[in-house]
Amino acid sequence: MAEETKLELDDIQSGVLRPRPTPYAATYVLFRIDDRNAGCELMRRLRCVLASAAESESSERDTWVSVALSYQGLKALGVPAASLQSFSPEFQQGMAARAKSLGDSGESSPEHWERPLGSTDVHVVVTAVAPSTERLEAAFERARKSYQELKGIAAIWRQDCHVLPGEREAFGFKDGISHPAIEGSGIPGTNPHERPLKPGEFVLGYPDEMSEASRIPQPDILGRNGSYVVFRKLHQRVAEFRRYLKANAVAAEEEELIAAKMMGRWRSGAPLALCPMHDDPALGADAQRNNAFLFKNDDAIGYKTPCGSHIRRMNPRDSVVAGVVRIHRMIRRGTSYGPLLPEGVLEDDGIDRGLMFAFVGAHLGRQFEFVQTEWMNDSAFFGGSPGRDPVSGAADGSGTFDIPKRPLRRQLHGLPRFVVTRGGEYCFMPGLRALEWLGNLTT
Ligand code: HEM
C-alpha cells in the first residue's frame, strides 16, 4: 500500500483544514493596504495571532483566525512580478473579471455588487470563526490589535455571521454536513464511503489526484502549504423560495417533499438517499449516518435523489458523470448572515440575509470554477435535460427541474433566481512561513 503523505501541519493555517464549529459565530474583515511597509508590518503582526493546523488539538481548536490575500493585495505588498505571474490565472484576474463564466449576470453582476467587493481595493481578508460570539470576540480582539493604529492600513468592509436557530441556513436546511476526508490531515471526512483525497487537492505542494507534483506559486517558500480560498457573499430570497414551493405543491404536505427534492436532503439534513419517502430528523442529526451514502448502485436514475438536486450536482459521489468527481471536490464553509425570515412569512421584509461562503482548494479552475460553471449552471455532465441547480443556480425564470418518478417524471417550471451574488474575491491563504516571507519583503 502506498504510504500516506505527511502534511507539514505546523506550517498550514489552522483555518484551512478544520470544518467550521457548530454552533458558530464568524466575522470577515477586508483591508486595503495604502502603504507597503504598513502592509508588511500587518503580515508580521498577524503571523503572531494565527495558529497552525498542528495546534488544532488545543482547547482553541474550534476557534481560529485566518488571513488571506487577493492578487491586488500581494501586489500592494510588493511581491515581485515573476512571482505574481506564477499564481493561477483565475486568481490573477480576480472574481469580478470571471463573472461571465461564473453565471454572475443581471442582478448578480459585479456592477451591482456591494462595494468594495469586486474592486481593486480588496487586499487582505481576515476571518475569525468560533463556537460562540464571546469566543469570537476574544479571538478577534487579538487580530484587531494587529491593525489598529497601523497607519497605511484601512479596514474597508466587515460581515458578521452567526448560526441560525437549528443550525440551518436561511432556506431552512441543516447545513455544514458534508466534508471531504483529506489524506494526512488527521481530520476524518463525513462520508465513510469516500476514499480520502490526496492533500494536494487542498494544500499546495503535495501530490494531488492528478499528479505527484503540481506547479505551485513561486518562490517555493511562498507557495508551499498555501491554499486558494474563494470568498462569496450570496443573498438568499427566502420569501420567493417559500412562495415557489407553495405554488408548485399539489397539496400542502407536498411542499416539504419538493424542497427536499430540490436540495437532495430534507430540511432536517436527512438525505433522500437514505429516507426518500419521509423526513427522519433523528437521521438528519446523526453525524455518523447523515452523510454515509453513495448514488450509483441503488439510485442511478435519481428516483430518490434527483440528479439535478443541489447536493447531487455539487458532489455527484459515485454517479456516472462526464469526468472524474474526485478532482472537483472542495472544503466548503458556509456561515449565515442576517436574521431568519419568521416562519410562514411569504413576503420579503427587505432585510439582507444569506450565506458567506469560503471554498478552500488548491485548484481554482478545476474546483470552484468548474463546479460553479459546469455542475451548477449546466446539465451536460450527467446527461440530464437542460437545467441549472434549482437552489443556487443562475436562474432566469425560464428554467425547469426534473424530479424522476414512475410512471412519469415530474417537472417543475419557471424557476426564479433564489440566490443573488453580492460579491466576492479569490484569495490566497499563505502558509505561516510564507506569511513571514511576505512580512519581510521590505527588509
Ligand atoms: C445560497 C446558496 C447555497 C445554499 C443555500 C446552499 C445550501 C446547501 C446545503 C443546505 C447543503 C447540504 C448540507 C451539507 O452537505 O453540508 C449544501 C451542500 C453543498 N453545497 Fe451548497 N448551498 C449554496 C451554494 C453553494 C455553492 C455556490 C456551492 C459551490 C459552488 C455549493 C457547494 C456545495 C457542496 C460541495 C455541498 C456538499 C455536497 C455533498 O457533498 O453532498 N453550494 N449546500
Side-chain angles (χ1 to χ4, degrees):
M1 213 170 86
E3 214 174 287
E4 205 182 63
T5 312
K6 289 261 181 306
L7 281 166
E8 291 169 359
L9 294 173
D10 62 345
D11 193 37
I12 299 170
Q13 292 194 39
S14 70
V16 171
L17 297 172
R18 294 236 134 236
R20 67 147 172 71
T22 301
Y24 64 85
T27 191
Y28 301 79
V29 185
L30 304 187
F31 297 92
R32 188 184 62 228
I33 300 169
D34 293 323
D35 174 81
R36 188 182 158 195
N37 289 312
C40 293
E41 175 65 21
L42 179 68
M43 296 301 118
R44 290 196 292 270
R45 292 186 187 181
L46 283 171
R47 167 65 191 89
C48 306
V49 176
L50 302 189
S52 77
E55 291 157 64
S56 52
E57 288 313 314
S58 74
S59 61
E60 291 294 300
R61 68 189 190 140
D62 284 342
T63 303
W64 69 77
V65 173
S66 53
V67 58
L69 294 110
S70 67
Y71 175 77
Q72 296 298 336
L74 293 177
K75 226 166 134 179
L77 285 181
V79 171
S83 170
L84 290 171
Q85 283 156 19
S86 66
F87 282 82
S88 85
E90 299 86 5
F91 173 76
Q92 291 184 46
Q93 287 175 37
M95 190 184 282
R98 310 288 299 166
K100 210 163 157 221
S101 58
L102 296 177
D104 285 335
S105 56
E107 302 153 276
S108 287
S109 64
E111 69 258 33
H112 299 302
W113 285 5
E114 202 175 304
R115 292 294 124 186
L117 302 178
S119 78
T120 52
D121 280 354
V122 176
H123 293 165
V124 181
V125 181
V126 173
T127 311
V129 183
S132 67
T133 313
E134 297 71 47
R135 284 178 64 183
L136 179 78
E137 273 311 311
F140 194 71
E141 191 46 40
R142 295 197 291 277
R144 203 189 327 266
K145 289 196 182 109
S146 315
Y147 65 85
Q148 255 175 354
E149 293 164 31
L150 187 56
K151 286 198 179 65
I153 299 294
I156 53 173
W157 186 85
R158 175 173 178 159
Q159 180 67 61
D160 291 328
C161 296
H162 46 81
V163 70
L164 294 175
E167 288 155 19
R168 307 200 172 188
E169 50 70 52
F171 292 145
F173 295 91
K174 183 174 161 64
D175 200 4
I177 299 173
S178 179
H179 305 289
I182 305 163
E183 213 180 276
S185 71
I187 300 167
T190 52
N191 183 358
H193 306 297
E194 184 179 49
R195 193 161 35 90
L197 288 138
K198 296 274 180 209
E201 289 298 309
F202 306 99
V203 185
L204 291 155
Y206 296 90
D208 64 25
E209 293 289 322
M210 298 187 73
S211 72
E212 279 302 303
S214 285
R215 275 184 42 217
I216 68 169
Q218 290 301 308
D220 236 56
I221 187 161
L222 176 60
R224 190 166 174 78
N225 291 324
S227 300
Y228 289 107
V229 56
V230 176
F231 290 105
R232 220 156 144 78
K233 179 173 177 179
L234 300 177
H235 166 70
Q236 292 176 253
R237 290 186 165 147
V238 179
E240 176 107 49
F241 185 71
R242 289 180 186 171
R243 286 200 302 271
Y244 186 80
L245 296 180
K246 206 170 248 327
N248 285 277
V250 180
E253 59 277 10
E254 211 203 14
E255 269 179 51
E256 284 308 301
L257 179 64
I258 294 179
K261 290 286 183 186
M262 289 165 79
M263 180 56 76
R265 291 183 184 272
W266 298 92
R267 295 203 214 221
S268 69
L272 286 174
L274 300 180
C275 54
M277 305 308 285
H278 54 81
D279 194 1
D280 180 349
L283 170 60
D286 184 346
Q288 302 301 314
R289 294 190 292 144
N290 64 14
N291 202 35
F293 60 92
L294 296 172
F295 295 122
K296 191 171 81 184
N297 285 346
D298 70 335
D299 194 25
I301 306 290
Y303 289 124
K304 294 179 184 170
T305 314
C307 298
S309 62
H310 181 67
I311 67 156
R312 193 156 174 173
R313 280 175 175 271
M314 297 298 92
N315 180 12
R317 303 185 185 216
D318 63 337
S319 305
V320 177
V321 295
V324 179
V325 170
R326 289 172 67 78
I327 65 168
H328 308 300
R329 303 282 284 124
M330 295 174 279
I331 298 174
R332 162 189 176 273
R333 291 206 197 95
T335 48
S336 289
Y337 70 89
L340 200 66
L341 184 67
E343 208 63 45
V345 173
L346 295 176
E347 288 309 316
D348 189 13
D349 59 2
I351 298 176
D352 191 12
R353 55 174 62 80
L355 279 166
M356 262 309 286
F357 268 112
F359 298 102
V360 179
H363 307 279
L364 282 175
R366 71 168 161 85
Q367 293 173 328
F368 173 73
E369 287 215 347
F370 181 91
V371 171
Q372 175 80 20
T373 311
E374 305 295 327
W375 288 356
M376 186 172 288
N377 289 321
D378 203 337
S379 289
F381 74 96
F382 65 84
S385 45
R388 299 185 171 120
D389 188 314
V391 177
S392 55
D396 59 5
S398 68
T400 55
F401 172 58
D402 284 355
I403 304 177
K405 203 173 153 204
R406 291 190 188 93
L408 285 177
R409 68 158 191 218
R410 169 102 192 263
Q411 190 169 57
L412 302 183
H413 297 270
L415 274 157
R417 192 186 267 261
F418 298 121
V419 172
V420 180
T421 311
R422 291 273 196 247
E425 193 50 276
Y426 290 154
C427 290
F428 173 68
M429 244 174 159
L432 298 176
R433 282 192 290 273
L435 207 59
E436 276 159 30
W437 184 86
L438 289 167
N440 291 326
L441 271 175
T442 47
T443 54

